[in-house]
Amino acid sequence: IYDRALRENRARHNEKVEIMREKWKKQMEEAAEENKQERNRYDYQMRKWDLDYQAAIEDAQRKHAMMVDRVERRNEEELDNYRAFHIAETKRVERQNTARREEAMKHYLEELVRIREENAAIRERKKHYEVFVDEIERENRRRED
């Protein structure tokens, strides 16, 4: 009796497992189909956006080319005026920079002379120091002897 009940229980369990397995399999297939449809929608949308983007780029390039032509024609005279102004401004700035360089060089040379004088004074103090040190060393040796 126990074995028969166990077999029947196992059979019912196996039937339930099989039913669940079929149910899960069906759900997985439905999910796979939904994923496929979603992927297709996504791919379609991406292609559509890409085409829209390319069209927008081409339109912008065309408008830009038209604008550039218009601006180039309009600015030719302004460019000539700017060139004349630029030449005059360049000469003015060069004169100004030359004066600044000369002033800076003057200060640089003055500073260089000052530093050389300081270095000469330091060398002179060093000589006196070395003489002083030599005298102390001689005095120390004389005391040691």
Side-chain angles (χ1 to χ4, degrees):
I1 292 175
Y2 175 76
D3 288 342
R4 193 175 109 221
L6 188 63
R7 280 192 304 274
E8 289 173 1
N9 191 19
R10 188 171 290 135
R12 277 194 308 275
H13 173 73
N14 288 341
E15 286 174 16
K16 287 180 185 177
V17 167
E18 192 58 35
I19 291 170
M20 289 302 293
R21 192 174 288 137
E22 289 297 321
K23 185 178 176 183
W24 289 338
K25 184 177 177 185
K26 184 178 176 185
Q27 287 175 346
M28 294 300 282
E29 289 171 356
E30 289 173 358
E33 183 61 29
E34 285 179 24
N35 285 344
K36 183 178 174 185
Q37 290 174 359
E38 184 66 26
R39 194 168 36 253
N40 288 341
R41 281 193 298 274
Y42 174 77
D43 289 344
Y44 171 78
Q45 187 64 44
M46 291 305 290
R47 283 192 301 275
K48 183 176 180 294
W49 286 342
D50 191 45
L51 292 174
D52 291 347
Y53 178 70
Q54 291 300 326
I57 287 175
E58 290 169 3
D59 187 48
Q61 288 172 338
R62 184 179 49 75
K63 288 179 181 177
H64 178 71
M66 289 171 35
M67 182 190 69
V68 166
D69 290 342
R70 190 170 56 243
V71 168
E72 283 178 350
R73 287 190 306 269
R74 188 177 60 213
N75 285 343
E76 194 60 41
E77 183 180 324
E78 291 178 15
L79 186 59
D80 291 339
N81 292 340
Y82 174 75
R83 286 182 184 134
F85 169 77
H86 178 67
I87 290 169
E89 186 67 11
T90 299
K91 288 180 181 176
R92 183 189 70 77
V93 169
E94 285 175 354
R95 286 191 303 272
Q96 189 178 37
N97 285 345
T98 300
R100 287 179 180 161
R101 268 196 306 278
E102 289 172 355
E103 184 68 21
M105 185 57 77
K106 181 179 131 190
H107 288 302
Y108 168 75
L109 292 175
E110 290 171 355
E111 186 66 13
L112 187 62
V113 167
R114 185 189 66 75
I115 289 171
R116 286 184 176 163
E117 289 171 354
E118 276 184 22
N119 285 345
I122 290 170
R123 280 193 294 276
E124 191 63 32
R125 283 196 305 273
K126 182 180 175 188
K127 285 180 189 174
H128 290 302
Y129 173 74
E130 287 172 350
V131 168
F132 179 70
V133 168
D134 287 344
E135 287 176 7
I136 290 174
E137 286 176 352
R138 276 195 302 265
E139 182 66 29
N140 286 342
R141 270 187 258 130
R142 195 170 42 88
R143 285 183 185 169
E144 288 175 2
D145 291 341

